[in-house]
Amino acid sequence: MKKKPKTLGRFLTKKYLTTSLLLLFLISLFIAIAQFFVSGTNEMVEELCAQTIVRPDYKKIDIATLKDVGGWVEILDEKNDVIYTKGKVAKKSAHYTQNQLLEMDALQSMISHKTYLFGPITFKFNDPEAQYMATFAPFTGSDGRNYICLAKVPRKSIRGNFNLVFDSFSSPTFLLNLKKIVLLLIPLFLIFIFCLKRYSKSVKEHIVAPNTVLIDGLRTIKNGDYAKKIHLNAEYEYVEIEDSFNHMANQLDQAEQQRAFYEKERQLLFANMAHDLRTPITTIQGTAKAVADGLVSDDKLTQTMETIISKSEHMNELVNRLLIFSKLESPDYQLHRQNLDLSELIREVLLEHLESAEKNGIDLTFELPETALEFAGDPVELRRVFDNLIGNSIQHNSAGTVVHIRLYSYDNQILFEIKDNGDSIPKELQEQLFEPFVSGDSSRSTQNGSGLGLAISKKIVEKHDGKISFIVLNEHDKMFQVLFWNGTD
C-alpha cells in the first residue's frame, strides 16, 4: 500500500485534533481538581448542621460559620414556640407548625431547589427570595427539659447535589440517564465536527491552496520556465513569499536571457575567429607550398617571404587580442591602478602614431592640457584604449582627413574625444561597433585589423567605471568619446 505523502494540511488537522483532545483533557482535569477542593468544604458544612453545633447550654452554641453564610439559630420548646435566638434573624417567627418545619427541611429544600450544573458553571431557575432551609436536632437542656435546635440557612447560601448509585447498569433509571447523556453529547459532537470543518476549510483556503500554487510555481521554475509568475491570493507571510518568488523568477529570467546572449556571443566569437584565421592560414599555406614546389622565382622569393611574415604577424596579433579580450571578460581580472597623468600618456601614444598619420595623409591635431591631469587607472590597459582609438582614426580614414584629439576635465569628469571628418560608418554598423569582430569597414577583412579593438577598449573603460560612446556630430563629422569620473579608485 502506497504511503500517503505528508502535507501541511494533514499536519495542521492532526495538530488541531491533538490540541483539542489535550484541551478537553485539561478542562476535565481542572473540573475534577476543582470538585476535589470543593468537596473539602463538607467539613465546614457539618458546622452548619444543628446536630453538630447544639449544646445543652444553648446560649453557648458557636455559630461563627453559620453567621458567615447569613444563618442563625432558633431554640424551640416542646410546643414549637421560639424561646431563644442567636445570630442575625432575617425572618422572625414566634411559633412553627409541623408543616412549616417540614417545608424547611434541608433535604427536601435542596431536592426542590432547581440548580443545573454544567462543569464549573451553575444555573438557577425559579429561585424565590426569602426562602430558607433548616436542620433540626432535639436535645435535653441543662435544666432537664426537652428542646429542638433549629439551624436556619438562606437557600442562596448553599448548593448541593445528590448522585445516585445504581446496583445494575441495566436498570431502567440508569438507561434513561444514559440516554439523556447521549442526547446531550450528540449536539456537542456535531458542534465540534462543524468547528473542525470550518477550521479545515480555513486552513485549506489560507495555507494549503497558496502552498499548492507555490509548489506548482517552483516546479515550473525547475523545468526551466523562468517567466512564471504566481498569485497566491493569500494573506500574512504569503504576500512577502509571492513578491520574493516573482522577484526571483524575474531575476532568473533575466539571467537566462543574459546567458543565452552570452552563449550566442561566444558562438559568434568563435565563428568570427575561425573566419579571420582561415584567410591568413590559407595564404601562408599556399605561399609556402609554392616555395617548396619551386614555383617562386628567386627575384620574387623575398616578397613571398615578406607576405608569409606579414600574415603570421597578423595571426599573432589576432590571437593576442583574443587572449586580452578573454582576460578582460573574466570576473576575477583586477586592474593594476596607480596615479598617472593622462595628458602625458596620450602624448606618448600620439608620438608613436605621427609617422603612420603622415604616411596615410592624415592631418593629426590635438588639444591637451599643459598641466598634469591625474587619474587613478591601469596605465597598460588605458594605453590600449588610446592606441586603438588613435590607430583606428588613422587606418580607417581616407587621405586628407582631419583628426582632432582633445583631452579636458569638466566638473568631476575627464573626457577624451577624438573627432574626424573622414569616411562615414554605415548606420547598420554603428550600434555594433563595440561588439567583438565588428569593423567600421563595409566588409571585415584581416588586412584592416582584428575586429576586437573597440570591444577590448569598451571592456577596459567599463572596468575603470567609465563610458565609451560613438557620436555622429553631423553629415561629415563623427566622434568617439571616453568619459571617466575624476577621483575613481
Side-chain angles (χ1 to χ4, degrees), residues 179-193:
K179 182 179 179 181
K180 291 180 179 179
I181 293 174
V182 171
L183 291 176
L184 178 64
L185 290 177
I186 287 175
L188 292 177
F189 179 74
L190 293 176
I191 292 173
F192 176 77
I193 294 297

Side-chain angles (χ1 to χ4, degrees), residues 283-294:
T283 303
I284 293 172
Q285 186 180 22
T287 306
K289 190 174 186 305
V291 173
D293 293 341

Side-chain angles (χ1 to χ4, degrees), residues 231-249:
H231 179 59
L232 299 179
N233 193 26
E235 303 166 323
Y236 314 117
E237 291 85 352
Y238 283 106
V239 176
E240 186 175 349
I241 291 175
E242 177 183 321
D243 293 340
S244 300
F245 179 93
N246 291 334
H247 178 71
M248 177 194 69

Side-chain angles (χ1 to χ4, degrees), residues 44-308:
M44 296 167 50
V45 172
E46 291 180 0
E47 297 180 11
L48 303 179
C49 298
Q51 189 173 2
T52 303
I53 65 176
V54 71
R55 298 286 185 276
D57 187 357
Y58 52 77
K59 294 184 179 180
K60 295 182 179 181
I61 292 176
D62 183 8
I63 64 166
T65 304
L66 193 63
K67 289 173 63 178
D68 288 341
V69 295
W72 68 93
V73 168
E74 296 180 0
I75 304 299
L76 310 182
D77 61 11
E78 296 175 347
K79 298 179 180 180
N80 293 338
D81 293 331
V82 179
I83 61 171
Y84 178 78
T85 61
K86 191 170 186 179
K88 186 177 180 180
V89 180
K91 185 178 180 181
K92 294 183 179 181
S93 299
H95 176 79
Y96 290 96
T97 64
Q98 193 68 22
N99 287 337
Q100 287 177 327
L101 292 175
L102 290 174
E103 288 176 358
M104 289 187 298
D105 179 68
L107 178 60
Q108 178 63 36
S109 179
M110 290 178 66
I111 292 174
S112 62
H113 192 52
K114 297 185 181 299
T115 302
Y116 299 90
L117 185 67
F118 292 90
I121 304 174
T122 302
F123 298 95
K124 297 180 182 179
F125 298 98
N126 301 324
D127 187 18
E129 297 181 358
Q131 284 196 344
Y132 304 92
M133 56 185 179
T135 58
F136 309 93
F139 70 98
T140 301
S142 54
D143 57 1
R145 298 176 62 181
N146 293 326
Y147 298 96
I148 296 177
C149 178
L150 181 64
K152 298 182 71 174
V153 179
R155 290 179 60 177
K156 64 181 181 178
S157 298
I158 188 169
R159 295 198 303 265
N161 65 314
F162 299 93
N163 296 320
L164 301 181
V165 179
F166 300 99
D167 295 333
S168 173
F169 290 121
S170 60
S171 63
T173 307
F174 175 78
L175 294 176
L176 180 62
N177 288 334
L178 182 61
K179 182 179 179 181
K180 291 180 179 179
I181 293 174
V182 171
L183 291 176
L184 178 64
L185 290 177
I186 287 175
L188 292 177
F189 179 74
L190 293 176
I191 292 173
F192 176 77
I193 294 297
F194 173 77
C195 293
L196 179 62
K197 290 188 69 174
R198 291 287 299 176
Y199 173 80
S200 300
K201 183 179 179 182
S202 178
V203 167
K204 184 177 181 181
E205 291 177 353
H206 293 84
I207 298 179
V208 177
N211 279 352
T212 302
V213 176
L214 181 59
I215 291 171
D216 290 341
L218 290 173
R219 286 174 180 165
T220 305
I221 292 292
K222 181 181 177 182
N223 293 331
D225 183 7
Y226 302 124
K228 175 70 174 179
K229 298 295 184 292
I230 63 171
H231 179 59
L232 299 179
N233 193 26
E235 303 166 323
Y236 314 117
E237 291 85 352
Y238 283 106
V239 176
E240 186 175 349
I241 291 175
E242 177 183 321
D243 293 340
S244 300
F245 179 93
N246 291 334
H247 178 71
M248 177 194 69
N250 185 56
Q251 294 284 33
L252 289 173
D253 189 33
Q254 292 179 3
E256 177 61 20
Q257 293 178 10
Q258 191 79 6
R259 187 200 65 80
F261 172 78
Y262 285 146
E263 179 64 20
K264 182 178 179 180
E265 188 179 62
R266 185 184 68 84
Q267 293 176 356
L268 181 63
L269 182 66
F270 282 115
N272 289 331
M273 182 177 65
H275 175 272
D276 280 10
L277 286 173
R278 185 183 296 113
T279 301
I281 289 175
T282 302
T283 303
I284 293 172
Q285 186 180 22
T287 306
K289 190 174 186 305
V291 173
D293 293 341
L295 300 177
V296 180
S297 60
D298 292 340
D299 58 334
K300 292 185 178 181
L301 182 60
T302 302
Q303 182 182 356
T304 302
M305 296 304 296
E306 288 178 353
T307 301
I308 293 175

